[in-house]
């Protein structure tokens, strides 16, 4: 029998619902249970693929090529269950399939309505994840948005029905709220009381409350909240503000026995808890020595979530290399104006120079010149460089412009008239008209070339990583580029597509066409991120 945990949020957004749901998942896995995570997103987009990183943060990509909400990235970093298209449910998908069925006449003349047809579709998708694998013990379903939002009503109604249909003790509601502090340092519980009332109006009595608060709530406050929300005294927990790392949250929840209370409510016997890997991770966190400054040169710099997985992967790599990674976020447009790049990246830059440069993924022409400048600077000054997707294409453009001397070398994404289109459209992309879900997406295999940084990092010949791009290293320039020294670190299995380029005579300069950040975990950093940070650390050491 499957058990369900519905995680909802109230009072306001950005309380860390995704991290709370993931931390609970990690704790339950620590007790030997098989957990699956599902995100329900109330937006009408079919997937996150068409949303601007400014609007909604990064697009997380799964092995099967789903372009999902960034919360799936949290699930991937905290838990080990597989994630695919099925784990991300949006209003857009639900309506798309209900409307398709209606057009096919499958509702047999009935009037198609939010209840029961939309809610049934939501329930069917959640149940499908539960049934996918016979070993699944618990499914955690995070409902996006805040209770009270018009958009999330069908999802809450589906949750209510599933809780009812599963029978007592087989499905519970975990609700996350905010306990704000007002002038004078007083903590206020009223918004939480209102938030639970809003849940009750939807027909759901939360079983467990997680209160986001500046500090650990004291016993009288917890009792007061429990009394006014109809929740048991021992089921009110605090997710207090921390200045260490979000990866400490599973342990913070463990100390409060969140997992034990949840399992008791679900009628699941609690087995011995093994959180060894989380403790080891915190030990690495606390024993880091020194710092490397990594210049991230991109175009969506104002919003941290735009490059969420990249920043997390840098942090994971720092844990493994024993150093703190300081992010120096540089809008590439700033580099375009700066002359020379040295004034922004070099030792005399305000705040000091960077020990490594990372150019992440991106789309569109804006800021490209600044990224090429950053790559050139790193290449010439032998500063470790890591290019991801667009960042690899930038290396190829730089090589064309600044080593081969083709001033107009470019990607056809940015200049269709270039006489040297060193990066161009994948052939299969030429006829594509729709934007949604049509890139080269998901897991593809790359074969490492012997003697490359790539093969030194992975220590395996064939690796699988996730892609999300339309453009590609143009093969007609392969000969001239490699003859002048640009190295090919990896290709697809048939040798046709270049998956990695590397700089010769350089401490560590590498670009990959895929996104290794999606598979990086705090307990196991991505090998490429790890070697990039190790190179930045070692080169800094040499300079000193
Ligand atoms: N815009 C580039 C392409 O489509 C790079 C994509 C990316 O960085 N994810 O190929």
């Amino acid at each position: 029998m499957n058990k369900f945990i519905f995680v909802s949020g109230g009072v306001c957004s950005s309380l860390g619902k995704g991290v709370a749901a993931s931390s609970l998942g990690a704790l339950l896995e620590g007790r030997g249970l098989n957990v699956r995570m599902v995100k329900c997103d109330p937006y009408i987009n079919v997937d996150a693929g068409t949303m601007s990183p400014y609007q909604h943060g990064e697009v997380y990509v799964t092995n099967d090529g789903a372009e999902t909400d960034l919360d799936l990235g949290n699930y991937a970093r905290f838990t080990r269950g597989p994630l695919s298209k099925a784990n991300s449910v949006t209003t857009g998908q639900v309506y798309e399939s209900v409307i398709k069925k209606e057009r096919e006449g499958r509702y047999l003349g009935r009037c198609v309505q939010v209840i029961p047809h939309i809610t049934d579709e939501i329930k069917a998708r959640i149940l499908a994840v539960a049934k996918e694998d016979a070993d699944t013990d618990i499914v955690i379903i995070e409902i996006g948005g805040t209770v009270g939002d018009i958009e999330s009503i069908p999802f809450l109604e589906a949750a209510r029905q599933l809780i009812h249909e599963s029978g007592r003790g087989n499905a519970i509601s975990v609700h996350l709220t905010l306990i704000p502090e007002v002038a004078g340092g007083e903590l206020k519980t009223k918004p939480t009381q209102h938030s639970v009332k809003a849940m009750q109006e939807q027909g759901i009595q939360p079983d467990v409350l997680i209160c986001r608060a500046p500090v650990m709530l004291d016993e009288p406050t917890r009792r007061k909240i429990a009394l006014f929300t109809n929740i048991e005294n021992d089921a009110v927990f605090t997710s207090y503000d921390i200045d260490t790392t979000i990866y400490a949250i599973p342990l913070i929840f463990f100390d409060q026995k969140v997992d034990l209370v949840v399992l008791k409510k679900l009628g699941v016997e609690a087995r011995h808890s093994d959180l060894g890997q989380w403790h080891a991770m915190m030990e690495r966190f606390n024993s880091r020595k020194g710092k490397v400054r990594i210049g991230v040169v991109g175009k969506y710099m104002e919003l941290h979530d735009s490059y969420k997985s990249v920043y997390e992967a840098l942090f994971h790599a720092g844990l493994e290399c024993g150093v703190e990674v300081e992010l120096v976020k540089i809008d590439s447009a700033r580099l375009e104006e700066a002359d020379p790049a040295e004034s922004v990246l070099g030792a005399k830059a305000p705040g000091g120079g960077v020990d490594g440069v990372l150019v992440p993924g991106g789309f569109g022409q804006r800021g490209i010149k600044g990224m090429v400048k950053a790559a050139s600077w790193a290449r010439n000054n032998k500063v470790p460089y890591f290019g991801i997707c667009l960042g690899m294409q930038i290396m190829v453009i730089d090589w064309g412009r600044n080593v081969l001397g083709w001033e107009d070398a470019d990607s056809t994404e940015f200049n269709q008239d270039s006489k040297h289109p060193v990066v161009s459209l994948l052939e299969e992309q030429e006829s594509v008209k729709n934007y949604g879900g049509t890139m080269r997406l998901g897991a593809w295999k790359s074969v490492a070339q012997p003697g490359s940084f790539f093969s030194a990092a992975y220590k395996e010949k064939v690796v699988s990583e996730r892609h999300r791009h339309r453009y590609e290293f143009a093969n007609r320039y392969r000969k001239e580029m490699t003859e002048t020294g640009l190295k090919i670190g990896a290709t697809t299995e048939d040798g046709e597509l270049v998956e990695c380029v590397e700089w010769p005579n350089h401490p560590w300069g590498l670009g990959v066409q895929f996104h290794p950040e999606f598979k990086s975990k705090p307990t196991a950093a991505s090998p490429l991120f790890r070697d990039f940070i190790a190179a930045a650390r070692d080169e800094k050491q040499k300079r000193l």
Side-chain angles (χ1 to χ4, degrees):
M1 167 141 244
N2 292 122
K3 307 273 179 175
F4 299 95
I5 301 172
F6 291 92
V7 180
S8 57
V11 182
C12 64
S13 60
S14 303
L15 297 181
K17 193 152 37 97
V19 169
S22 306
S23 298
L24 180 55
L27 288 187
L28 298 176
E29 283 187 349
R31 293 200 183 261
L33 294 160
N34 286 316
V35 179
R36 292 286 176 277
M37 309 285 303
V38 178
K39 176 77 194 287
C40 292
D41 271 303
Y43 48 72
I44 296 171
N45 303 61
V46 170
D47 60 38
T50 54
M51 272 189 264
S52 154
Y54 274 134
Q55 292 270 314
H56 203 70
E58 81 172 3
V59 175
Y60 184 81
V61 180
T62 57
N63 277 338
D64 67 342
E67 298 176 276
T68 73
D69 202 78
L70 54 77
D71 273 313
L72 267 79
N74 281 323
Y75 306 162
R77 289 184 280 272
F78 283 83
T79 66
R80 49 172 187 263
L83 294 166
S84 71
K85 281 195 171 73
N87 301 70
S88 168
V89 180
T90 68
T91 296
Q93 283 167 26
V94 169
Y95 272 81
E96 193 184 41
S97 78
V98 168
I99 291 171
K100 185 163 168 280
K101 283 187 207 156
E102 185 275 331
R103 292 288 85 183
E104 290 166 355
R106 291 181 34 204
Y107 292 110
L108 306 173
R110 283 192 293 269
C111 175
V112 181
Q113 293 177 301
V114 173
I115 299 169
H117 302 102
I118 295 296
T119 45
D120 278 355
E121 181 67 30
I122 295 169
K123 284 182 342 186
R125 283 168 185 253
I126 293 169
L127 289 170
V129 174
K131 294 283 163 282
E132 203 172 63
D133 192 340
D135 295 338
T136 299
D137 298 304
I138 295 177
V139 185
I140 299 178
I141 306 105
E142 179 190 347
I143 299 176
T146 308
V147 60
D149 292 350
I150 292 174
E151 294 89 351
S152 45
I153 292 174
F155 289 101
L156 288 169
E157 171 60 14
R160 186 196 67 75
Q161 291 184 17
L162 269 177
I163 292 172
H164 172 77
E165 287 162 0
S166 306
R168 244 193 117 68
N170 289 318
I172 61 169
S173 155
V174 174
H175 192 58
L176 184 74
T177 69
L178 177 70
I179 306 284
E181 189 182 38
V182 291
E186 202 186 337
L187 296 174
K188 290 297 185 187
T189 66
K190 192 72 92 195
T192 292
Q193 297 177 39
H194 281 299
S195 182
V196 173
K197 281 219 175 76
M199 287 294 287
Q200 290 163 343
E201 274 166 27
Q202 299 294 322
I204 301 175
Q205 167 62 53
D207 299 282
V208 171
L209 204 57
I210 298 178
C211 302
R212 181 72 193 270
V215 292
M216 183 76 183
L217 297 178
D218 58 20
E219 192 55 28
T221 311
R222 286 179 50 204
R223 278 178 181 279
K224 177 177 165 196
I225 294 169
L227 178 65
F228 291 113
T229 56
N230 226 7
I231 291 172
E232 283 180 289
N233 286 338
D234 70 346
V236 178
F237 302 102
T238 314
S239 180
Y240 50 85
D241 293 350
I242 45 173
D243 55 8
T244 52
T245 157
I246 52 165
Y247 301 113
I249 294 176
L251 296 173
I252 289 173
F253 283 5
F254 178 79
D255 287 340
Q256 297 176 55
K257 302 192 171 59
V258 175
D259 53 339
L260 283 182
V261 170
V262 162
L263 288 176
K264 194 173 104 207
K265 290 193 182 295
L266 287 171
V268 176
E269 192 194 338
R271 282 177 262 171
H272 169 75
S273 169
D274 178 3
L275 297 175
Q277 55 167 355
W278 293 101
H279 287 292
M281 192 261 328
M282 283 312 289
E283 246 159 63
R284 284 200 291 278
F285 175 81
N286 290 320
S287 53
R288 293 174 305 167
K289 281 195 188 70
K291 189 192 287 196
V292 291
R293 302 184 83 231
I294 299 300
V296 179
V297 181
K299 56 189 275 190
Y300 317 111
M301 302 319 297
E302 293 91 338
L303 186 67
H304 187 82
D305 278 352
S306 298
Y307 297 119
K308 173 106 176 135
S309 292
V310 169
Y311 297 143
E312 293 303 311
L314 285 170
F315 175 81
H316 306 158
L319 290 178
E320 241 160 87
C321 296
V323 287
E324 183 187 333
V325 176
E326 183 188 332
L327 299 173
V328 184
K329 298 179 182 175
I330 301 166
D331 190 327
S332 52
R334 231 180 85 209
L335 266 171
E336 273 169 25
E337 291 145 24
D339 204 31
E342 178 72 18
S343 64
V344 174
L345 302 167
K348 297 214 178 70
V354 299
D355 306 308
V357 172
L358 187 150
V359 176
F363 295 83
Q365 151 107 67
R366 189 175 61 81
I368 296 301
K369 219 174 108 199
M371 295 178 204
V372 174
K373 252 182 161 178
S376 252
W377 178 85
R379 181 170 52 77
N380 289 322
N381 292 287
K382 305 222 180 292
V383 173
Y385 173 95
F386 190 9
I388 295 177
C389 205
L390 175 63
M392 166 187 141
Q393 298 172 357
I394 294 292
M395 283 173 86
V396 177
I397 296 170
D398 162 57
W399 198 269
R401 286 186 195 172
N402 301 319
V403 176
L404 286 158
W406 303 329
E407 254 172 62
D408 72 335
D410 218 326
S411 163
T412 53
E413 180 180 3
F414 317 127
N415 177 5
Q416 308 244 339
D417 304 321
S418 166
K419 291 201 180 57
H420 299 93
V422 293
V423 174
S424 60
L425 214 52
L426 287 167
E427 221 171 276
E428 76 231 28
Q429 286 287 339
E430 279 172 14
S431 57
V432 168
K433 295 226 161 45
N434 268 349
Y435 271 111
T438 54
M439 283 186 257
R440 181 173 179 240
L441 284 167
W444 295 89
K445 286 189 180 131
S446 304
V447 181
Q449 296 301 305
S452 56
F453 295 129
F454 188 98
S455 101
Y458 284 103
K459 297 182 182 69
E460 267 173 288
K461 193 159 165 52
V462 182
V463 305
S464 170
E465 292 280 10
R466 298 182 199 153
H467 296 66
R468 182 173 186 252
H469 63 114
R470 280 182 217 285
Y471 297 83
E472 190 76 52
F473 181 112
N475 276 333
R476 52 195 260 227
Y477 295 101
R478 224 196 244 199
K479 191 156 174 279
E480 276 161 293
M481 294 239 169
T482 51
E483 277 174 3
T484 47
L486 188 70
K487 297 207 293 188
I488 295 196
T491 63
T492 44
E493 284 178 295
D494 58 8
E496 272 304 303
L497 303 180
V498 173
E499 294 279 31
C500 169
V501 297
E502 301 184 1
W503 286 330
N505 312 316
H506 194 275
W508 206 88
L510 172 149
V512 281
Q513 191 55 79
F514 50 75
H515 291 269
E517 68 272 26
F518 293 142
K519 286 173 75 170
S520 189
K521 286 175 174 259
T523 48
S526 153
L528 292 176
F529 277 87
R530 180 200 60 213
D531 283 11
F532 169 56
I533 294 301
R537 176 198 61 197
D538 296 346
E539 290 304 304
K540 178 181 177 184
Q541 204 69 46
K542 275 190 223 161
R543 277 198 309 278
L544 299 178

